[in-house]
Amino acid sequence: MGGETARSHSNMSSSIQAAIIGARGYVGGELLHCLARHPQVGGVIPCSASAAGSPVAEAHPRLAGSELKFAAAVPADAQVDAVFFATPPRVAMAEAGRWLAAGAKVFDCSPDFRLKDLGVWEKWYGEGHASPELAAKSVYGLVEHAREEIAGADLVAVPGCYATAIQLAAVPVARALAAAGQEVSIVADCVSGTSGAGRSAGRDELLLAEAGGNYQAYALAGHRHSAEILQGLAAHAACPGAALRFVPHLLPLPRGMFATLHFIGAAEVDVHAALAAAYKDEALVEVLAAGRSPQLAAVTGTARAQLGAAGSVGLCAIDNLGKGAAGQAVQACNVAFGFSETAGLPC
């Protein structure tokens, strides 16, 4: 399962072998789409216990023509350098350790390693963390804010989709507010496509007959990504006392995410200038001219983010499966292995 090979790959001419745990789901399918086209990925093992033996194209029509089939698990003799978890909570925390011990790098798209305060993790996920020692070593993988840390990481916690969209728009502005001695208070109204709940959510409100032509808020008592966002504001914007009111909404589209952030009392800070300065050299983040709104159509099916600003309002559009999950995981993988940051990504 990798041995020392994982740490021998440090340049663009190298080739790695990857495995995806939970490959039948929406995030798993997006990971397959990216890794299948990746010039430095020599092979991928897609794992799904429920679909073992069936062609991946049956679950993911975008991969029509692929000869890959789902495996129940990674074969014992497989040489794996990168393991991607696209699984529900508590799976990665139980399995990541053995892959790390074997020399592989782990990229977890679940929430298992996102929060450093495990008391907060327990509050949102209902039970104690099974691998606190790994949680302490993990790196939160929002590349634009933690590139140097990811470059030396073996365990990367891929941020949540809402947390990604909100932090991309919030962190540069919060940093500017803190530098100006102003309090940071944010109201975030966000919408997500139905794929954000996963393939096996089993919820009637996600059915086309229910979601189509409808629009509704949910998690009104609080959304678990709030903890990630506050953690990011403290770590990357020096705002440990930031106030956040975040309300998510269900968008009657399969994929896409849009965040509208109101920075309360931010009259002395140029929101657009803060965003433009922060991301001027980023390949996967586009900041539009002041007063222009991002569009979901510009980012759907890609790993890019599009940002905008008008007055004290910041805006961010991403694909919840792209930059909000699988695309970000592959971007972090590229940084961790020293590959071109956009390799394999639909841009």
Side-chain angles (χ1 to χ4, degrees):
M1 291 185 297
E4 293 303 314
T5 59
R7 289 174 177 79
S8 68
H9 297 289
S10 60
N11 59 69
M12 290 176 58
S13 63
S14 302
S15 179
I16 64 171
Q17 303 297 310
I20 302 170
I21 314 300
R24 185 182 177 278
Y26 294 135
V27 174
E30 198 69 17
L31 282 167
L32 271 169
H33 178 65
C34 293
L35 296 176
R37 55 188 279 160
H38 198 299
Q40 274 79 47
V41 175
V44 183
I45 303 171
C47 298
S48 171
S50 65
S54 66
V56 297
E58 288 185 1
H60 306 300
R62 294 175 72 189
L63 298 170
S66 172
E67 297 181 359
L68 283 174
K69 293 185 177 181
F70 291 111
V74 179
D77 60 349
Q79 298 295 305
V80 177
D81 304 292
V83 179
F84 295 83
F85 282 90
T87 51
R90 302 178 186 86
V91 175
M93 69 169 65
E95 299 183 13
R98 72 183 183 93
W99 291 108
L100 293 168
K105 292 181 182 289
V106 172
F107 304 89
D108 179 23
C109 295
S110 86
D112 284 6
F113 298 108
R114 292 174 185 163
L115 298 178
K116 290 301 182 182
D117 186 332
L118 297 187
V120 175
W121 197 95
E122 182 174 354
K123 170 188 172 183
W124 286 104
Y125 295 96
E127 62 183 67
H129 200 285
S131 299
E133 71 288 351
L134 293 184
K137 298 176 182 178
S138 67
V139 172
Y140 188 73
L142 210 170
V143 175
E144 288 75 16
H145 297 168
R147 188 173 278 108
E148 291 184 5
E149 294 94 327
I150 295 168
D154 292 324
L155 173 58
V156 175
V158 181
C161 48
Y162 279 123
T164 296
I166 292 175
Q167 286 182 90
L168 284 174
V171 165
V173 182
R175 189 184 299 126
L177 286 167
Q182 298 186 45
E183 293 184 356
V184 177
S185 181
I186 304 169
V187 174
D189 287 319
C190 306
V191 297
S192 173
T194 58
S195 59
R199 190 163 207 162
S200 58
R203 289 159 46 187
D204 288 349
E205 68 268 27
L206 302 176
L207 298 172
L208 177 61
E210 303 290 338
N214 195 17
Y215 187 77
Q216 60 181 313
Y218 64 99
L220 295 178
H223 192 283
R224 60 193 186 186
H225 287 187
S226 298
E228 285 183 60
I229 298 160
L230 291 172
Q231 175 180 269
L233 289 170
H236 299 292
C239 299
L244 173 70
R245 180 63 174 124
F246 160 39
V247 180
H249 300 73
L250 186 64
L251 185 68
L253 292 175
R255 55 197 294 173
M257 177 165 285
F258 198 103
T260 300
L261 276 59
H262 303 268
F263 296 96
I264 310 302
E268 302 302 317
V269 169
D270 187 329
V271 172
H272 182 267
L275 296 176
Y279 301 119
K280 61 183 175 66
D281 297 322
E282 294 293 342
L284 294 173
V285 179
E286 176 189 12
V287 179
L288 301 175
R292 287 188 58 200
S293 174
Q295 298 186 48
L296 289 182
V299 297
T300 300
T302 80
R304 294 188 299 106
Q306 194 174 72
L307 278 72
S312 61
V313 175
L315 307 160
C316 180
I318 63 171
D319 185 321
N320 58 292
L321 298 178
K323 182 60 174 170
Q328 184 149 236
V330 174
Q331 183 186 7
C333 175
N334 289 336
V335 173
F337 280 99
F339 301 147
S340 169
E341 194 165 306
T342 59
L345 296 176
C347 298

